Amino acid sequence: MLELKNISKKYGKVTALKSVSITLGSGIYALLGPNGSGKSTMMNIISGILPPTDGEILYNAQGIRSLGTAYREKIGYMPQYPGMYPSFTVRDFLLYMSELKGLPRGSEGEVDYILRRVELDDCADRKISALSGGMKQRLSLAQAVLGSPEIIILDEPTAGLDPKQRIAVRNFISETASDRTVLWATHIVPDIEGIAREVIILKQGEVTDIAAPEKLIQKMSGKVWRVRVEHNAAEEFRKKYRICSTVPDADGLMLRLLSEGQPCEDAVPLVPTLEDYYLYIFGDIL
Ligand code: ADP
Ligand code: MG
């Protein structure tokens, strides 16, 4: 159990986190917020890399600072911008990381297993400098889950991946998560839809909500509408409502929009999604 108590972080005059208090058990927690909302800052603090300006973090009721390396060893961290030694080969890098993590020397089997899972087994002997962005991303994910740490922190793990790789990574993470704590930062809603146990909404450094995705979607009930408009009337709606999507339709447009009440007489209520909620919460700072 991981407990953040009144965590704040200031970089000079910039307040990146404002008194964040959350408790994480096992399962996947999505940390959802747009760029600049403080996701990476929170992850660096939880990883013990960055000291908070205020507040404390408890792991199983003990302060992480007093736990020191005993805590660090329980963490697998995939940073947003991984720095990996370019002259290492893929396999040597993971063997080196196992060594750093203090894993037993016989962990070569695990390295090979993880390489297969992230679909890098074909380039195990390639130098890191010769990898594509998506491959580096998957290698960084591999080192984070190596040794099955109790807490896995992933900072935008699917950035730069194509749709097929995205799905593979998503499945891999969801299978890895069963009995551990996974914190997954993203601003891409479909990544975590259907697999996150809870979603932590981070808005300008503040946790504004933490709930199961279904609960967040429920909040949108009665607020999502479909409206068919003529081209010349669309601008009016754009000014007045938050538009989720626009689809051309015969000689007009089909709009999916957010409105607290029925926006017009022939508006049809729609089943809300998590993406609607995201737009509802963050639409003003996009
Ligand atoms: P996110 O990961 O959600 O994009 P960050 O945690 O990277 O958000 O950033 C949160 C805020 O803190 C932003 O306003 C960003 O500009 C600022 N920030 C992040 N890192 C630093 C830093 N090292 N020095 C100064 N400001 C920073
Ligand atoms: Mg970030």
Side-chain angles (χ1 to χ4, degrees), residues 50-97:
L50 188 70
T53 312
D54 250 314
E56 61 172 343
I57 299 182
L58 305 180
Y59 180 62
N60 294 335
Q62 277 185 285
I64 63 165
R65 236 179 271 177
S66 62
L67 286 169
T69 50
Y71 173 71
R72 293 275 190 106
E73 280 170 5
K74 301 206 182 304
I75 303 244
Y77 182 30
M78 176 182 179
Q80 184 167 13
Y81 305 108
M84 296 182 291
Y85 310 96
S87 60
F88 272 57
T89 67
V90 166
R91 196 160 189 282
D92 285 347
F93 174 68
L94 290 183
L95 288 170
Y96 173 70
M97 289 307 288

Side-chain angles (χ1 to χ4, degrees), residues 111-131:
V111 164
D112 288 332
Y113 168 74
I114 287 181
L115 281 175
R116 278 197 302 278
R117 291 303 313 272
V118 299
E119 297 180 24
L120 283 178
D121 46 329
D122 285 348
C123 39
D125 297 318
R126 214 189 273 185
K127 282 197 172 168
I128 292 177
S129 57
L131 300 181

Side-chain angles (χ1 to χ4, degrees), residues 11 14-16 33-42 80 155-156 202:
Y11 298 105
V14 177
T15 302
N35 289 328
S37 54
K39 302 184 296 299
S40 295
T41 299
M42 199 204 271
Q80 184 167 13
D155 199 347
E156 309 207 10
L202 194 61

Side-chain angles (χ1 to χ4, degrees), residues 145-188:
V145 299
L146 197 63
S148 304
E150 286 176 27
I151 303 166
I152 299 174
I153 296 176
L154 308 169
D155 199 347
E156 309 207 10
T158 60
L161 299 183
D162 67 33
K164 180 178 158 274
Q165 291 167 345
R166 238 193 170 86
I167 291 165
V169 161
R170 214 177 104 97
N171 293 343
F172 176 57
I173 295 170
S174 99
E175 285 161 30
T176 311
S178 54
D179 52 350
R180 51 204 78 242
T181 301
V182 178
L183 187 60
W184 177 336
T186 186
H187 56 265
I188 303 160

